[in-house]
Amino acid sequence: MSPFNGALAKALERHVGTDAAVKARAPFSFRDGDLISNLLVDAGFKIARHEPLVLERRFIDLRAQIMALPIETDLRDAGADVTNKVVEEVADALSRYDKEGVLHVPQEAHLFVAAV
């Protein structure tokens, strides 16, 4: 899981609830490269290349990034004080990725080159 989504899910679990935390984890629920590869082959694709990647997400405005996610409604419903606590906790958890005020957070992904 992405350090960003992991930190966000923990903060949401603590301050908003389980449903919001599940939403934060959802983008990383299907990340097993072997499983994805097998599904592609089962669907008739021939895999020319499968490459695990580590991408770097940059967060200039962490609050704006958080509020652009599906959990925005959960945070607005919880109120400004809770939203501030969540943003602060995520910022603290990601502080080691701070480079001159911009967060550079790693995120694992898979690149598949495949054809029918």
Side-chain angles (χ1 to χ4, degrees):
M1 170 160 316
S2 156
F4 166 71
N5 286 74
L8 180 60
K10 285 180 186 175
L12 290 168
E13 185 97 55
R14 191 171 11 266
H15 299 289
V16 179
T18 303
D19 290 344
V22 167
K23 289 179 193 176
R25 290 184 184 100
F28 297 91
S29 61
F30 188 66
R31 60 191 188 118
D32 182 323
D34 292 333
L35 175 63
I36 297 167
S37 181
N38 290 335
L39 290 170
L40 287 169
V41 169
D42 290 348
F45 288 91
K46 291 181 182 166
I47 298 172
R49 189 173 82 199
H50 168 211
E51 194 175 322
L53 302 172
V54 177
L55 307 171
E56 181 180 86
R57 285 183 71 185
R58 292 185 186 147
F59 297 91
I60 295 169
D61 184 342
L62 182 61
R63 177 181 296 276
Q65 288 291 318
I66 290 171
M67 297 307 281
L69 297 171
I71 51 89
E72 182 252 351
T73 303
D74 300 279
L75 287 170
R76 291 207 188 277
D77 290 347
D81 289 340
V82 169
T83 300
N84 290 337
K85 287 178 186 175
V86 168
V87 172
E88 288 170 15
E89 283 188 24
V90 173
D92 287 345
L94 300 178
S95 64
R96 68 180 175 199
Y97 302 111
D98 188 302
K99 295 178 186 174
E100 299 178 14
V102 177
L103 296 172
H104 295 254
V105 183
Q107 180 171 309
E108 293 179 9
H110 294 275
L111 171 68
F112 288 91
V113 176
V116 179

